[in-house]
Amino acid sequence: MRTVLCHPYHLVEPSPWPCLGAGGAFFITVGSVMYFHYGLVQIMYLGVLVVVIIMFVWWQDVIRESTFQGFHSLVVKQGIKYGMLLFILSEVLFFFSFFWAFFHSSLAPAVELGVVWPPQGVNPLNSFSVPLLNTAVLLSSGATVTWAHHAIISGKREEAILGLSLTVFLGVLFTGLQGVEYYEAPFTISDSVYGSTFFMATGFHGFHVLIGTTFLIICLVRLKLNQFTSRQHVGFEAASWYWHFVDVVWLFLYLCVYWWGS
Amino acid sequence: MAARIVNRLNWMSRRFYAAAVDSSKMTLAEKEAAESKHAESTMKTWKNVSIFVAVPAILICAYNAWVKEKEHHTHPRPEFLEYAHLRIRNKAFPWGDGNHSLFHNPHANALPEGYEDEDH
């Protein structure tokens, strides 16, 4: 049976999930502000609940449309690819703001900090210890995800499952090591603008690693359920693009915040 | 702009897979078979990179981190000095007693009043 739809028609229905998901994300943002300022936690929980529910129904719709209805024609796939690229671009700009804050504070350290970076009294982490290991772990996961990708294209299912499982394992390992580093760090988020910029930038990167790992786990489950073919696997491609983006952000964080910044 | 990037990516992947053979006179099925074959050799390359480059790199970095952390733990922790720019508490943290950061480590992180335990 042919699995490629070469006609130019866009067959999928408009979806309510992007708009409702954005609403959920907005509730998380506002809820977090309410939590940090007033200790009010309910709005944040509501936002998380909405986002989790929408993750399920949105993925369910995409899997139905792609795998079970066969609606992923070339033009539909191209639309999804535009969407993913624009989303990643917006994420790049999101991280720009944290790097901006970091360079603003570190290139000309304020007199209150002792005119030095790291500020007087702050002992930074050794960038050639666990952060270097984390760099190796994340770069390696980029190699294993490419292994899985080419295995899917060449129809080698077992190889693809192995490569993707290793990628997920490396993602979880990275998160675990970051958790240990956070606990062992001699400074906290309240230790001058060094702590604020460090935990804001690396913390949001950590969140993105969790999102990317979730995305890869979904792909692994779909791979095991035979939902990808060598021609039809946009979901996997989107996950691997996102994973590479998270990887590149880490490289910049490592070079600027961990190495230069220490 | 986005359209151009996607077209460019598609063009690059086509070039990438079709580089080994002249695809102009092939049927779609033959092209797919050629692409699959080419992907298999690329897969082997990345599998080899994963096993023979990534795994040793992780092991070397893990050993290096282990040695450095072990050495680091023999040093006494820095003396508590009260700086105005450190351990800022403009408002209470929303969790716990409001005085401990989220990843608080009693040995490594002092409170505004000083360390909670003796160094060991």
Side-chain angles (χ1 to χ4, degrees):
Chain A
M1 194 182 85
R2 298 289 310 152
T3 54
V4 188
L5 294 171
C6 294
H7 61 70
Y9 301 108
H10 193 267
L11 292 169
V12 287
E13 300 278 315
S15 166
W17 309 131
C19 197
L20 290 174
F26 180 71
F27 268 68
I28 293 180
T29 312
V30 173
S32 302
V33 172
M34 297 299 276
Y35 177 51
F36 288 132
H37 283 266
Y38 307 108
L40 188 76
V41 79
Q42 288 83 350
I43 301 173
M44 191 175 76
Y45 283 160
L46 179 69
V48 172
L49 183 71
V50 170
V51 166
V52 169
I53 290 171
I54 285 174
M55 275 164 61
F56 276 91
V57 288
W58 192 345
W59 251 309
Q60 175 182 270
D61 274 6
V62 173
I63 290 167
R64 277 180 184 156
E65 287 163 356
S66 61
T67 306
F68 297 107
Q69 294 179 299
F71 284 170
H72 274 200
S73 62
L74 286 176
V75 72
V76 170
K77 286 199 286 186
Q78 197 151 53
I80 293 170
K81 286 179 182 177
Y82 289 155
M84 196 64 202
L85 280 179
L86 288 171
F87 171 61
I88 290 176
L89 180 70
S90 74
E91 291 270 61
V92 169
L93 298 178
F94 177 79
F95 275 97
F96 245 84
S97 59
F98 302 125
F99 277 99
W100 193 293
F102 170 74
F103 283 118
H104 173 92
S105 307
S106 61
L107 283 170
V111 70
E112 289 85 348
L113 308 178
V115 207
V116 282
W117 194 269
Q120 187 68 33
V122 171
N123 298 297
L125 296 166
N126 180 356
S127 59
F128 291 105
S129 179
V130 178
L132 183 66
L133 171 60
N134 265 336
T135 306
V137 167
L138 223 47
L139 281 180
S140 302
S141 73
T144 54
V145 82
T146 310
W147 165 16
H149 192 180
H150 289 278
I152 291 176
I153 296 170
S154 56
K156 299 262 183 293
R157 182 170 174 274
E158 298 304 319
E159 292 270 351
I161 290 174
L162 183 59
L164 194 52
S165 303
L166 279 172
T167 313
V168 169
F169 168 74
L170 292 170
V172 172
L173 179 63
F174 176 89
T175 307
L177 287 168
Q178 277 297 79
V180 173
E181 279 287 86
Y182 270 27
Y183 182 70
E184 292 290 333
F187 52 87
T188 74
I189 197 166
S190 68
D191 284 333
S192 81
V193 74
Y194 183 91
S196 314
T197 50
F198 179 90
F199 283 105
M200 198 72 177
T202 60
F204 265 115
H205 176 265
F207 268 128
H208 284 75
V209 171
L210 290 178
I211 296 165
T213 310
T214 311
F215 205 169
L216 290 173
I217 289 171
I218 300 277
C219 285
L220 185 58
V221 172
R222 295 190 64 192
L223 198 56
K224 288 202 173 195
L225 293 173
N226 297 307
Q227 292 189 357
F228 293 130
T229 73
S230 56
R231 312 288 298 182
Q232 300 283 100
H233 49 266
V234 191
F236 179 89
E237 280 180 322
S240 70
W241 286 354
Y242 192 80
W243 194 247
H244 286 307
F245 155 74
V246 168
D247 206 350
V248 171
V249 172
W250 172 260
L251 284 183
F252 280 100
L253 277 177
Y254 180 72
L255 290 175
C256 303
V257 178
Y258 283 89
W259 182 55
W260 178 79
S262 70
Chain B
M1 181 64 188
R4 284 187 59 188
I5 293 171
V6 171
N7 283 339
R8 190 76 191 164
L9 283 172
N10 286 340
W11 178 82
M12 278 164 60
S13 65
R14 276 203 305 278
R15 281 300 298 253
F16 186 61
Y17 292 120
V21 279
D22 174 22
S23 60
S24 56
K25 292 188 182 71
M26 289 174 150
T27 64
L28 187 60
E30 284 169 340
K31 269 187 199 169
E32 283 179 13
E35 282 178 14
S36 168
K37 206 175 158 206
H38 187 73
E40 199 178 328
S41 78
T42 316
M43 179 199 83
K44 281 181 183 150
T45 306
W46 284 101
K47 189 180 176 181
N48 287 336
V49 169
S50 302
I51 295 169
F52 299 112
V53 181
V55 172
I58 291 174
L59 291 178
I60 291 166
C61 290
Y63 176 72
N64 167 64
W66 176 257
V67 171
K68 286 207 165 60
E69 289 303 307
K70 223 172 146 184
E71 200 259 345
H72 175 74
H73 279 278
T74 59
H75 295 298
R77 70 182 175 196
E79 187 192 349
F80 174 74
L81 291 169
E82 213 176 325
Y83 283 114
H85 65 286
L86 299 184
R87 297 169 278 272
I88 297 167
R89 299 287 188 273
N90 288 332
K91 65 170 79 69
F93 290 117
W95 48 76
D97 65 351
N99 197 24
H100 294 75
S101 64
L102 195 58
F103 300 94
H104 180 77
N105 177 346
H107 179 68
N109 305 138
L111 296 177
E113 306 82 44
Y115 288 109
E116 290 164 289
D117 62 357
E118 295 294 315
D119 197 9
H120 49 261

